[in-house]
Amino acid sequence: TALFQIINGEEKPAEGTYEWGQTITEAYLPLDNTAFFNTDMNLVEWLSQFAADTNEVYLKGFLGRMLFSGEEILKSASVLSGGEKMRCMISRMMLRDANTLILDTPTNHLDLESIQAFNNTLVNYKGNVLFASHDHEFIQTVANRVIELTPNGNIDKMIEYDDYISDPKIAELRERLYAGK
């Protein structure tokens, strides 16, 4: 969470710098999205705040992709459940048409149907996805590279998650890095 907040300008790093490439456009899905929903706007109005094209049909399409339909889109943003808020945030993120997605525990609060829809979208996504998650199935199906940040160095492997956690050489390296050897 701290790393994602730093690379999205919400926090300052204790040391060091980073710079996005010139062609990078990013969309961020924060862990805590509470501040976005302190409004009585309906979902179409809420989403229009983040869109260049505020055509209602266009916006309803984005909400529909995240399983909002019918009268649900007229619901006040302030009364949404955690899962509904997360689905709105994903719709907001999709509007940006970014080539880099930064997702901080994206499956928190989502039901199985929403997780599957989001997962399928990410599997077919052509850009870069940086994410942190505790959802094993999500990690296994979406990740094709694992970067583990340790106190004494990093591990960076182009490998599926299950292979990463079951590889004895990586486990040995992880032990050494956490022990500071």
Side-chain angles (χ1 to χ4, degrees), residues 32-39 46 85:
D32 181 9
N33 58 35
T34 308
F36 287 90
F37 296 95
N38 294 329
T39 179
W46 180 87
K85 288 177 182 177

Side-chain angles (χ1 to χ4, degrees), residues 94-155:
M94 288 188 305
L95 278 172
R96 293 194 47 108
D97 195 29
N99 59 20
T100 301
L101 304 179
I102 303 154
L103 313 172
D104 196 349
T105 57
T107 58
N108 281 7
H109 306 293
L110 293 179
D111 60 26
L112 186 57
E113 185 179 14
S114 299
I115 291 171
Q116 288 173 334
F118 191 43
N119 191 330
N120 292 339
T121 299
L122 290 175
V123 167
N124 296 314
Y125 181 68
K126 300 298 181 208
N128 297 303
V129 181
L130 305 174
F131 71 91
S133 180
H134 301 287
D135 183 336
H136 181 96
E137 184 68 23
F138 182 80
I139 297 169
Q140 175 58 24
T141 57
V142 174
N144 60 7
R145 178 178 182 181
V146 177
I147 302 171
E148 183 172 352
L149 308 175
T150 77
N152 299 298
N154 304 322
I155 304 170

Side-chain angles (χ1 to χ4, degrees), residues 17-49:
T17 62
Y18 74 94
E19 189 174 322
W20 289 109
Q22 288 184 344
T23 60
I24 300 298
T25 54
E26 71 275 349
Y28 176 43
L29 185 66
L31 176 62
D32 181 9
N33 58 35
T34 308
F36 287 90
F37 296 95
N38 294 329
T39 179
D40 287 328
M41 288 185 238
N42 69 43
L43 299 189
V44 174
E45 293 167 336
W46 180 87
L47 192 57
S48 72
Q49 304 174 91

